Amino acid sequence: TNAPILHVGGYGGIVIIARTTSSTMATSVGGRVVLALSSAARKIGKSLDSMGASMEVAKYTEKLVPSTRFVAVDGVAPFISETAAFVAPSANVIGNVSMGPNSSVWYGATVRGDV
């Protein structure tokens, strides 16, 4: 088909956007230029990234804690209404808890029903 396609390429803060059709992308001069620039930008970005990593004095790898948003206790899992407004990614809902309609649990909060 000749449906328009939006191509976005780049790496390391350089973004190249071109709107083409699938049949002309590989053959048109503009398509080849966009592909070449995208590839070059990606290579430059990777080189800058590796250069920056080699210059680090104190290497640190961030370790993320696996999500414990909803935890069952003694076989009883939290009940969350389908119309509950919001449960933050960093919130914990543990045990025999029922969240009704239009309720929410915000960032860093813990709701426990196991005590």
Side-chain angles (χ1 to χ4, degrees), residues 3-4 17 19-20 22 39-40 43 51 63 70 72 80 85 90 92 95-96 101 104 107 111-114:
I17 301 173
R19 187 177 180 94
T20 65
S22 58
S39 178
K43 287 178 184 176
M51 183 176 65
K63 295 176 183 150
F70 304 105
I80 312 299
S90 61
N92 297 306
N96 189 13
S104 58
Y107 297 92
V111 180
R112 294 184 62 175
D114 63 335

Side-chain angles (χ1 to χ4, degrees), residues 77-82 93 95-100:
F79 170 76
I80 312 299
S81 170
E82 290 182 14
V93 183
N96 189 13
V97 174
S98 294
M99 288 184 61

Side-chain angles (χ1 to χ4, degrees), residues 81 83-85 99-103:
S81 170
T83 59
M99 288 184 61
N102 302 317
S103 59

Side-chain angles (χ1 to χ4, degrees), residues 11-115:
Y11 191 82
I14 301 169
V15 178
I16 300 164
I17 301 173
R19 187 177 180 94
T20 65
T21 60
S22 58
S23 63
T24 61
M25 183 63 185
T27 59
S28 72
V29 173
R32 286 181 282 178
V33 168
V34 167
L35 290 176
L37 287 174
S38 296
S39 178
R42 189 172 295 112
K43 287 178 184 176
I44 291 170
K46 285 182 180 180
S47 296
L48 290 172
D49 188 43
S50 65
M51 183 176 65
S54 68
M55 294 170 55
E56 288 182 17
V57 175
K59 298 201 184 276
Y60 175 76
T61 302
E62 186 174 7
K63 295 176 183 150
L64 299 175
V65 177
S67 176
T68 55
R69 289 180 67 188
F70 304 105
V71 179
V73 175
D74 295 330
V76 180
F79 170 76
I80 312 299
S81 170
E82 290 182 14
T83 59
F86 177 72
V87 177
S90 61
N92 297 306
V93 183
I94 302 169
N96 189 13
V97 174
S98 294
M99 288 184 61
N102 302 317
S103 59
S104 58
V105 181
W106 286 82
Y107 297 92
T110 299
V111 180
R112 294 184 62 175
D114 63 335
V115 289

